[in-house]
Amino acid sequence: LMLRILNLAFSDYKANKEINIGYVGRIVPWKKLDLICEASKELGYKVIGSGYIDKSNYYYEKIVKYVNDKTLIFNGGMGRQNMAMPAEKDNLYKKMTILVMATEGEYESGPLPAQEAMARGIPVLATKKGTLRDRGEDGKNIVFFKENDKEDLKQKMKALIQDENKRMEIRKKAWETAKNFPEEKMSWDFGKLYCKVLNEFNK
């Protein structure tokens, strides 16, 4: 069933010709949605996002201006109780040209949205964080950009948007990567990692 769902998501991608820069996640400073919006606006792209507002000060100081000028179409509200429903998030993924994750620092273990996008065959442009270090091969199943570097983000975003053949190659490889990491394998891998850390701690 899961492979059938992934195949359906994969086949939907090319039908959407509108350029949409995707974002999925909480609204917090370290996820750098403001950087994504600023870079996208300068390139003339729209950002579509889903999640919930965790840090309201950051939202009102850095993000709301992009909502007001229509750069960002955001599906969410204050607090976890205002997260988008799963079906709404699925529909959002279908509209994305690429997904961008711009996290700074070492806050991410996943990041889960990037893995969800890869499972749907959505090309991902991201900083090298969390498990993306292990699963991501730059230029093959993902594109990495330098943390907090707007010009590098813009250059790679524009190149990926303009090169449809490259996007199709990356999304195919990303989908293949996701297929090779089912929940059972992830559970075993994390279990082995926890045991290794525990053994080191108890020495």
Side-chain angles (χ1 to χ4, degrees), residues 128-183:
K128 194 177 287 189
K129 303 297 177 182
T131 57
L132 293 181
R133 292 190 186 99
D134 304 313
R135 301 182 191 181
E137 295 182 73
D138 190 25
K140 294 183 179 179
N141 61 2
I142 195 169
V143 174
F144 288 121
F145 70 95
K146 297 174 186 175
E147 181 178 331
N148 283 320
D149 189 329
K150 185 179 70 171
E151 294 309 314
D152 191 45
L153 170 58
K154 285 173 61 178
Q155 184 268 319
K156 290 177 178 175
M157 183 188 293
K158 184 176 181 180
L160 194 54
I161 291 295
Q162 291 184 342
D163 190 342
E164 183 176 356
N165 289 334
K166 185 66 175 178
R167 291 204 314 275
M168 300 302 285
E169 290 173 9
I170 287 176
R171 88 188 200 94
K172 183 175 184 294
K173 291 292 185 183
W175 187 75
E176 290 171 355
T177 300
K179 283 197 301 181
N180 291 326
F181 281 90
E183 291 179 356

Side-chain angles (χ1 to χ4, degrees), residues 175-192:
W175 187 75
E176 290 171 355
T177 300
K179 283 197 301 181
N180 291 326
F181 281 90
E183 291 179 356
E184 293 83 359
K185 186 178 187 306
M186 290 175 64
S187 297
W188 278 109
D189 286 348
F190 277 116
K192 287 189 289 186

Side-chain angles (χ1 to χ4, degrees), residues 26-43:
R26 292 179 295 151
I27 305 300
V28 290
W30 56 87
K31 289 184 180 287
K32 304 299 291 182
L33 177 57
D34 59 306
L35 179 67
I36 296 170
C37 289
E38 184 178 356
S40 299
K41 181 177 180 178
E42 290 178 8
L43 291 171

